[in-house]
């Protein structure tokens, strides 16, 4: 059963660091949630949206010639035209960065359609052009060759593995400068709920450490005097969620 995640939850998650999210998921027993190899084409962008998946298998010469794109049912093209606004195209390229999984024309089309972002464990071509777009993209690196050389696009919106992480359609993808984390959809609301106070605490800790404080008894918070300082800080300092 698909879990619908509210716009309010997505807005909160978009402000939360992937480091915070991976820690909260680890507390719940999830160790493999960070997409390995996927890095942002442009720093400073944030992402939060449900996964819409595309799976590539290895190409075969009789099926993946240059004329394959003449077929209007080609799964890559279909995925670009059918992904819902606000969703994230997540591509399983088996970690192969030797060819592209998409390029700037497809990225532009998805931006126009209101797609939230692109995540792939493979390459992206025309990477500098994609980096100039508003749609954020994470990949394992720029790669000029067409996907047909190594990839056969197959399944649309089915469970995939991206960067060695299982991604199910509707899972919530959250990205920042560190990379992308996959949150099981049914956990998104409670992760967002717990993430805000956790980040508030870490902001306080960082401020204290910059001022010369020791992390002992502060991180984690075990000393009563530090708890009193934190409570006073909370009362006087607005959160980044409130400021957004």
């Amino acid at each position: 059963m698909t879990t619908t995640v509210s716009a309010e939850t997505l807005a909160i998650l978009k402000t939360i660091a992937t480091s915070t999210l991976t820690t909260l998921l680890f507390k719940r027993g999830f160790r493999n949630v960070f997409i390995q190899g996927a890095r942002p084409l442009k720093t400073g962008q944030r992402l939060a949206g449900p996964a819409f998946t595309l799976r590539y298998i290895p190409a075969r010469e009789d099926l993946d010639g240059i004329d394959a794109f003449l077929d209007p049912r080609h799964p890559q093209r279909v995925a670009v035209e059918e992904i819902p606004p606000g969703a994230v195209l997540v591509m399983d390229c088996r970690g192969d960065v030797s060819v592209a999984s998409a390029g700037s024309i497809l990225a532009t089309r998805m931006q126009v359609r209101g797609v939230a972002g692109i995540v792939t464990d493979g390459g992206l071509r025309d990477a500098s052009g994609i980096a100039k777009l508003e749609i954020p993209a994470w990949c394992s690196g720029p790669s000029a060759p067409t996907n047909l050389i190594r990839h056969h696009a197959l399944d649309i919106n089915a469970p995939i593995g991206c960067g060695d992480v299982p991604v199910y359609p509707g899972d919530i993808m959250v990205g920042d400068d560190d990379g992308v984390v996959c949150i099981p959809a049914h956990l998104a609301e409670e992760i967002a709920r717990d993430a805000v106070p956790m980040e508030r605490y870490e902001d306080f800790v960082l401020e204290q450490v910059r001022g010369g404080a020791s992390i002992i008894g502060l991180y984690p918070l075990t000393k009563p005097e530090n708890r009193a300082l934190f409570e006073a800080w909370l009362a006087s300092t607005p959160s980044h969620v409130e400021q957004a």
Side-chain angles (χ1 to χ4, degrees):
M1 184 175 69
T2 303
T3 300
T4 300
V5 177
S6 70
E8 291 78 11
T9 293
L10 292 176
I12 292 171
L13 290 172
K14 196 171 183 178
T15 71
I16 304 299
T18 55
S19 54
T20 298
L21 298 174
T22 54
T23 298
L24 288 170
L25 286 164
F26 177 53
K27 289 179 177 179
R28 290 162 172 79
F30 290 84
R31 299 170 181 266
N32 183 30
V33 294
F34 189 72
I35 308 296
Q36 297 300 312
R39 297 292 178 265
L41 281 181
K42 179 169 64 179
T43 59
Q45 296 188 112
R46 303 299 291 258
L47 169 73
F52 185 93
T53 63
L54 174 64
R55 182 169 76 99
Y56 289 106
I57 65 171
R60 200 173 79 178
E61 286 75 6
D62 61 331
L63 297 175
D64 297 295
I66 194 64
D67 59 349
F69 289 140
L70 297 176
D71 184 354
R73 300 167 299 172
H74 189 277
Q76 184 205 49
R77 272 29 183 189
V78 172
V80 168
E81 292 296 331
E82 291 189 354
I83 178 173
V88 179
L89 182 63
V90 185
M91 291 179 278
D92 172 5
C93 299
R94 313 173 310 283
D96 187 343
V97 74
S98 65
V99 300
S101 53
S104 62
I105 292 176
L106 300 188
T108 300
R109 174 59 180 158
M110 287 188 282
Q111 175 176 292
V112 169
R113 295 195 60 250
V115 173
I118 302 166
V119 177
T120 175
D121 63 358
L124 289 173
R125 69 196 311 194
D126 314 313
S128 62
I130 297 174
K132 293 175 184 177
L133 297 173
E134 293 180 7
I135 185 171
W138 284 256
C139 67
S140 291
S143 191
T146 179
N147 64 329
L148 295 169
I149 295 172
R150 295 281 293 176
H151 298 320
H152 177 84
L154 190 63
D155 294 325
I156 297 174
N157 223 25
I160 62 170
C162 182
D164 295 325
V165 174
V167 179
Y168 288 78
D171 282 349
I172 304 304
M173 313 302 294
V174 181
D176 63 9
D177 286 350
D178 283 353
V180 178
V181 61
C182 175
I183 304 174
H186 68 281
L187 292 176
E189 300 278 353
E190 66 177 83
I191 292 291
R193 179 198 67 208
D194 293 351
V196 174
M198 180 174 173
E199 289 220 324
R200 293 275 277 154
Y201 169 60
E202 293 193 350
D203 288 344
F204 163 74
V205 169
L206 188 56
E207 185 176 301
Q208 295 298 305
V209 169
R210 284 173 175 159
S214 168
I215 61 171
I216 305 302
L218 175 66
Y219 190 66
L221 186 57
T222 57
K223 289 185 177 180
E225 59 267 35
N226 286 332
R227 184 171 299 279
L229 283 173
F230 178 48
E231 290 173 355
W233 182 90
L234 279 176
S236 62
T237 309
S239 73
H240 64 273
V241 174
E242 294 169 344
Q243 294 170 336

